[in-house]
């Protein structure tokens, strides 16, 4: 089963990566904060964060960037999206 990893700059603490799961409550989604506003986390940093959350990149997946805006005069935010899957546990589960 694949899930969507999202990389976004939060309103509070800077960049964060989170995994959108089947849980209807975003507070239940696994997340990792990078505790900085700049620079954007590198691919290597994102891969390490995903592994710490128990996920890996789906073969052939690449980050896609979406522009989010609050209207013509509001600030523009960017959201990175990537397909991921749980890292196999090795115990047959």
């Amino acid at each position: 089963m694949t899930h969507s990893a999202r990389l976004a700059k939060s309103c509070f603490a800077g960049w964060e990566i989170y995994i959108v799961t089947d849980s209807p409550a975003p507070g239940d989604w696994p997340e990792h904060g990078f505790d900085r506003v700049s620079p954007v986390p590198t691919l290597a940093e994102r891969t390490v964060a995903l592994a710490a959350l128990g996920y890996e990149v789906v073969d052939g997946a690449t980050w896609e960037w979406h522009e989010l805006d609050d209207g013509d005069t509001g600030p523009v935010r960017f959201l990175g999206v990537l397909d991921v899957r749980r890292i196999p546990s090795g115990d047959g589960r």
Side-chain angles (χ1 to χ4, degrees), residues 5-66:
R6 310 271 172 96
L7 178 70
K9 194 185 307 180
S10 75
C11 298
F12 308 106
W15 288 101
E16 63 183 4
I17 195 167
Y18 57 93
I19 311 298
V20 179
T21 65
D22 296 335
S23 174
D28 293 338
W29 297 346
E31 63 181 48
H32 171 84
F34 292 96
D35 298 324
R36 69 174 190 252
V37 174
S38 176
V40 176
T42 66
L43 288 172
E45 290 173 312
R46 292 180 235 164
T47 300
V48 169
L50 287 170
L53 295 173
Y55 290 83
E56 64 186 4
V57 178
V58 171
D59 294 336
T62 58
W63 285 96
E64 295 179 17
W65 291 92
H66 300 271

Side-chain angles (χ1 to χ4, degrees), residues 74-90:
V76 174
R77 296 174 290 125
F78 292 95
L79 175 72
V81 179
L82 176 72
D83 287 336
V84 296
R85 64 178 164 242
R86 293 279 308 158
I87 295 173
S89 64

